[in-house]
Amino acid sequence: MFLLHYSNCENAFQTFANDEGDDPSRVGAASDPLMEGMEQLDTVISFRDGGSGIARELQRAASRSQNSRSERNLLTAFRDIASWCEQFSLPKTISDIAKQLYRRSDEEKLLRGKPLDAVIAACIFIACRQAHVPRTFREICNLTHVSKKILGQCYKALEQAFNLSPGATAASNQTSSTSGPENLLVRYCNHLDLPANVQSITSDIIVAARSHGIADGRSPVSIAGGAIYFTCHLLGKVKSLRDISSVAGVSEGTIRLVYRLYYAEKEKLVKQEWIDEGKAKLENLPFDSTK
């Protein structure tokens, strides 16, 4: 019996060329544009030197010639940004925006002396808003374990340096497409396992309240939480204050306060067609006399 063995002797190059065909001049992973100007290759020194001690000397030389401290800090920050964005289920585009913001702040020394985690948290917060998937201060703080005070300081500094729209975290900016309470409803209602009509009606109620100046000056998370509580009772899909408070990240008292403001003007907020169609009942709304 004769066995034939065939081997492919062509070079096993992996090509990253723009055109089709082999491009042996370029192998390995694609370069990262965010790391432009930095060394993106690693050198690994083997420990096997026959006991001569050469490997140790080579490792020392390699460590001295490795990236500067600022570049190592940048790499660390990029890894943390990618890790936190992944934990937050944020798309890669937001991670890239946050990395760009961090690199600029690092190059311009905008937040010298501030904790690394706080700077990263502020960059992620801004990136979320720029990508129209806003997250609240409390959510970012819970993710990164950075205090709200420090996060606010870093955000304000970056806001001025990057010429962002002022007051993006304040209630005066609630009407913007990225920070309004309506944009928080999808996430909150999903966490509360509420049907789709609750979200849509809550959004209409928030818009109506804004047009009448009801609950003006309240934060988006407070309005979203209070409006959901109001709508759930209105539609008979009751959720407890504790559940809504846990999801929205605001106190039960804050939610109750917004609810009382809505309750006092309920005739202006509830559409007659909802009542006629049997979707809503004003009598379902409990009177809250809690002070």
Side-chain angles (χ1 to χ4, degrees):
M1 179 181 293
F2 294 93
L3 298 177
L4 296 178
H5 178 72
Y6 172 77
S7 297
N8 185 355
C9 298
E10 293 183 1
N11 292 329
F13 286 109
Q14 183 179 5
T15 178
F16 293 93
N18 294 327
D19 301 325
E20 293 184 359
D22 291 340
D23 180 16
S25 63
R26 292 188 61 200
V27 294
S31 61
D32 186 351
L34 292 171
M35 306 295 291
E36 183 179 355
M38 296 175 56
E39 184 61 55
Q40 300 185 44
L41 299 177
D42 292 330
T43 300
V44 179
I45 308 298
S46 173
F47 286 95
R48 298 180 180 179
D49 59 0
S52 64
I54 296 177
R56 178 174 297 179
E57 295 300 325
L58 288 174
Q59 287 171 352
R60 290 177 180 175
S63 64
R64 287 194 295 267
S65 64
Q66 281 178 351
N67 298 334
S68 66
R69 179 179 179 182
S70 62
E71 291 181 349
R72 289 197 299 271
N73 289 342
L74 188 63
L75 291 172
T76 300
F78 280 9
R79 284 194 294 267
D80 289 344
I81 289 172
S83 175
W84 283 343
C85 287
E86 184 178 354
Q87 292 179 45
F88 225 163
S89 300
L90 296 173
K92 186 177 182 298
T93 52
I94 293 179
S95 176
D96 290 343
I97 293 173
K99 290 177 182 178
Q100 291 172 353
L101 293 170
Y102 180 85
R103 178 162 188 172
R104 180 179 169 185
S105 69
D106 182 65
E107 290 175 347
E108 300 180 16
K109 308 299 181 184
L110 299 177
L111 294 171
R112 181 178 296 176
K114 293 295 184 182
L116 177 63
D117 289 353
V119 180
I120 292 175
C123 290
I124 294 176
F125 179 79
I126 295 173
C128 287
R129 290 187 176 273
Q130 291 185 346
H132 306 292
V133 285
R135 294 297 186 268
T136 64
F137 260 27
R138 186 180 295 273
E139 288 175 309
I140 297 295
C141 290
N142 290 340
L143 171 71
T144 61
H145 304 293
V146 173
S147 71
K148 186 176 181 180
K149 179 180 179 181
I150 299 297
L151 175 58
Q153 292 173 351
C154 292
Y155 172 78
K156 287 297 182 183
L158 295 180
E159 179 185 63
Q160 296 175 0
F162 297 157
N163 295 320
L164 302 175
S165 57
T169 60
S172 60
N173 198 43
Q174 288 177 12
T175 57
S176 72
S177 61
T178 59
S179 61
E182 304 96 308
N183 295 280
L184 303 172
L185 295 180
V186 176
R187 194 160 67 256
Y188 290 178
C189 289
N190 284 341
H191 285 311
L192 291 167
D193 196 24
L194 291 169
N197 68 318
V198 173
Q199 177 191 327
S200 61
I201 291 178
T202 303
S203 181
D204 289 343
I205 288 174
I206 290 175
V207 172
R210 183 185 298 126
S211 66
H212 290 94
I214 302 171
D216 278 356
R218 300 292 167 184
S219 68
V221 290
S222 301
I223 291 176
I228 290 174
Y229 185 66
F230 179 90
T231 306
C232 285
H233 277 287
L234 180 69
L235 303 182
K237 309 288 185 182
V238 180
K239 290 290 182 179
S240 68
L241 275 171
R242 176 176 296 181
D243 290 341
I244 298 176
S245 172
S246 176
V247 168
V250 293
S251 68
E252 296 180 18
T254 300
I255 295 175
R256 187 180 288 114
L257 176 59
V258 174
Y259 172 82
R260 287 204 300 267
L261 296 173
Y262 278 21
Y263 180 86
E265 305 288 350
K266 56 183 179 294
E267 289 80 7
K268 298 178 180 179
L269 303 180
V270 180
K271 294 181 180 180
Q272 185 61 41
E273 62 187 77
W274 297 341
I275 298 176
D276 295 341
E277 293 172 0
K279 296 179 179 178
K281 294 182 180 180
L282 289 176
E283 56 267 27
N284 286 344
L285 297 173
F287 175 71
D288 188 353
S289 60
T290 305
K291 298 297 182 182

